[in-house]
Amino acid sequence: MDSLAPTDLDALKARYGAGGEPAGARLLRNEVVDTMLGHRSVRDFLPDALDEGVLETLVAAAQSAPTSSNQQAWSVVAVQETARKARLAELSNRQKFIDQAPLFLCWVADLSRLERLGAAHGQPMEGLEYLESYMVALVDAALAAQNAVVAAESLGLGTVYVGALRYQPEAVAKELNLPPQAFAAFGLAVGRPAPEAARTGVKPRLPQELVLHREQYVVRDERAVLAAYDDRLSAYFQSTSGRAEDWSRKMLGRVGTVAGLGGRHLMRQALNALGFGLK
Ligand SMILES: Cc1cc2nc3c(=O)[nH]c(=O)nc-3n(C[C@H](O)[C@H](O)[C@H](O)COP(=O)(O)O)c2cc1C
């Protein structure tokens, strides 16, 4: 471990919102931890091109993530052409930061390489037809992408994930020329944060008492703790966007109805069409 600075409750207060920080916790700080605790999504980018080597550095960081059985069942498509970014933005609910950011990374859950390996060896790859293999690929892609996020932030860059890339998986696969058994699971816009990005601070998370279970999961009455979190998150949104928005109401809208999934309830069919068996 790097040399540790003294306990710093300010970083925890920022992460959880004042009052939501774990009581009496000691935070072991170093540059890596500080980068992670200081994370916030950036949705306003300068048009500046990225320095030479940034893309390769981010991919090396991504490839340094652990990967299930060393399968490395992911790929990334780096999109920098203006017209292609615009088309992907259009397919992703017109999120403007995709056009703005100099780099848009499409993270691919990729079983196609293993399928090709099998073909080269005359081996039908039966295991790839199962949901487990898809989960391996999706988890691998997520771990890799998050390593790239931490690396980007440590270099002073900003990022935002784009799950909206899943609104039209087949059209996106066509745009990226993906082979069967490859699925663009989410995008990641990367660039230099524009001054407007400073408006958004660190977004408070649920208090640890709701997510950290010791030895066994304990289902408890969460209402009072959630109400307090709703207040902290509303205060955060009020101060950053001028529009109070609490977590509970947002989640009820997001997953309370099928409509809240915005069309993505058809994901299984889309994945089947892209060549995933999901048995
Ligand atoms: C897989 C994934 C998909 C996401 N998709 C979007 C998206 O389509 N658009 C967007 O503006 N933010 C997206 N986000 C960012 C989240 O909204 C954001 O991480 C969350 O609200 C917490 O805020 P923070 O990252 O600033 O801490 C996504 C995040 C993840 C992990």
Side-chain angles (χ1 to χ4, degrees):
M1 212 179 285
D2 291 346
S3 63
L4 300 176
T7 302
D8 188 341
L9 276 181
D10 288 345
L12 283 173
K13 281 198 167 116
R15 175 42 69 212
Y16 293 100
E21 68 277 11
R26 173 162 186 245
L27 180 64
L28 306 182
R29 291 185 60 189
N30 61 25
E31 274 185 33
V32 178
V33 172
D34 280 357
T35 298
M36 289 174 164
L37 265 71
H39 159 79
R40 61 203 166 85
S41 294
V42 167
R43 297 182 177 83
D44 295 284
F45 295 99
L46 297 174
D48 313 6
L50 296 174
D51 291 344
E52 208 184 314
V54 165
L55 173 60
E56 293 78 5
T57 303
L58 298 188
V59 173
Q63 289 191 274
S64 302
T67 151
S68 187
S69 306
N70 203 22
Q71 286 187 44
Q72 307 179 60
W74 63 275
S75 295
V76 62
V77 182
V79 177
Q80 292 178 291
E81 280 181 24
T82 306
R84 179 161 293 110
K85 275 190 293 165
R87 288 196 293 275
L88 289 169
E90 194 62 32
L91 291 171
S92 306
N93 222 8
R94 297 194 190 87
Q95 302 205 47
K96 68 164 175 42
F97 45 76
I98 301 175
D99 294 291
Q100 243 183 24
L103 175 63
F104 187 59
L105 296 173
C106 298
W107 297 91
V108 177
D110 189 1
L111 298 178
S112 78
R113 192 165 33 240
L114 293 169
E115 179 71 33
R116 290 192 292 278
L117 176 76
H121 289 261
Q123 169 77 51
M125 300 294 254
E126 283 176 4
L128 297 183
E129 293 166 23
Y130 287 82
L131 178 60
E132 166 65 10
S133 289
Y134 170 71
M135 285 168 61
V136 161
L138 192 62
V139 170
D140 268 11
L143 296 179
Q146 183 55 23
N147 256 24
V149 165
V150 174
E153 291 179 351
S154 76
L155 294 169
L157 298 171
T159 67
V160 61
Y161 281 103
V162 180
L165 195 62
R166 292 193 301 275
Y167 276 119
Q168 300 186 55
E170 291 162 76
V172 168
K174 203 164 168 205
E175 177 63 47
L176 300 177
N177 196 31
L178 300 184
Q181 299 197 63
F183 164 58
F186 45 82
L188 185 74
V190 183
R192 289 205 173 285
E196 304 89 281
R199 277 196 311 253
T200 45
V202 171
K203 189 184 287 180
R205 294 293 195 260
L206 289 166
Q208 284 196 3
E209 60 189 298
L210 289 192
V211 302
L212 170 60
H213 301 264
R214 296 184 192 269
E215 311 307 333
Q216 287 198 304
Y217 197 108
V218 177
V219 179
R220 44 172 284 191
D221 185 347
E222 296 167 327
R223 283 173 296 184
V225 182
L226 280 180
Y229 176 61
D230 280 338
D231 288 344
R232 287 192 296 275
L233 198 62
S234 286
Y236 161 85
F237 278 119
Q238 186 69 54
S239 70
T240 54
S241 69
R243 209 165 23 97
E245 201 181 340
D246 76 40
W247 186 81
S248 298
R249 243 188 297 272
K250 187 145 190 212
M251 295 306 114
L252 293 171
R254 183 71 177 75
V255 287
T257 62
V258 175
L261 294 180
R264 287 184 272 186
H265 60 294
L266 301 172
M267 196 56 67
R268 180 188 290 276
Q269 289 93 314
L271 287 167
N272 287 151
L274 292 173
F276 291 89
L278 309 180
K279 286 182 193 166

